[in-house]
Structure formats: C-alpha cells, structure tokens
Amino acid sequence: MSGFGAWLAQFTQVSNAIGDLARDAAADDDWPDGPDELETYTDHLESAGASEAALETLADAWARYAESR
C-alpha cells in the first residue's frame, strides 16, 4: 500500500472518525491502491454505499494527508 492508503494505515489505533475509516480501509480487500487522488477513494466509498458521514471523514482525512505531503 502506498500514498493515501499508507498514510491512512497509521491511524488504525486512533479512536476517532479517521481511525474508523483507517480500520475499515484495512479490512477492505478492495480498498484502492491508487491512483492517489481523492476521487479514487470517494468513488470506492460511494460504490460501497458509504454514508455521508463516511464521505465527510474521507474528505477530512484527505485534507490532512494533503497537508502532510
């Protein structure tokens, strides 16, 4: 796993919404490993029927990821 997926994986032990997303991603065999664009992950979550809250968490996590690069 690289890019956003690798960054997100560091939060699997955190007790907050990003941690929940990280754990869900780690358990998802179909979690994308690129391309490293927000749309890639948004499309994946939407196709899986994710809630609006999950999509908002993804957007928040992506913003933090983008700031860290």
Side-chain angles (χ1 to χ4, degrees):
M1 190 175 294
S2 63
F4 179 67
W7 177 87
L8 188 60
Q10 70 181 328
F11 294 97
T12 58
Q13 301 301 313
V14 176
S15 296
N16 63 19
I18 292 177
D20 292 342
L21 177 63
R23 287 184 290 281
D24 289 346
D28 184 349
D29 292 335
D30 295 323
W31 185 260
D33 192 25
D36 201 30
E37 300 170 356
L38 176 57
E39 184 177 4
T40 301
Y41 305 99
T42 301
D43 290 348
H44 178 72
L45 288 183
E46 286 176 343
S47 70
S51 68
E52 189 62 36
L55 294 169
E56 289 175 14
T57 298
L58 172 63
D60 291 344
W62 184 267
R64 290 179 59 180
Y65 167 64
E67 289 175 1
S68 73
R69 293 197 271 177

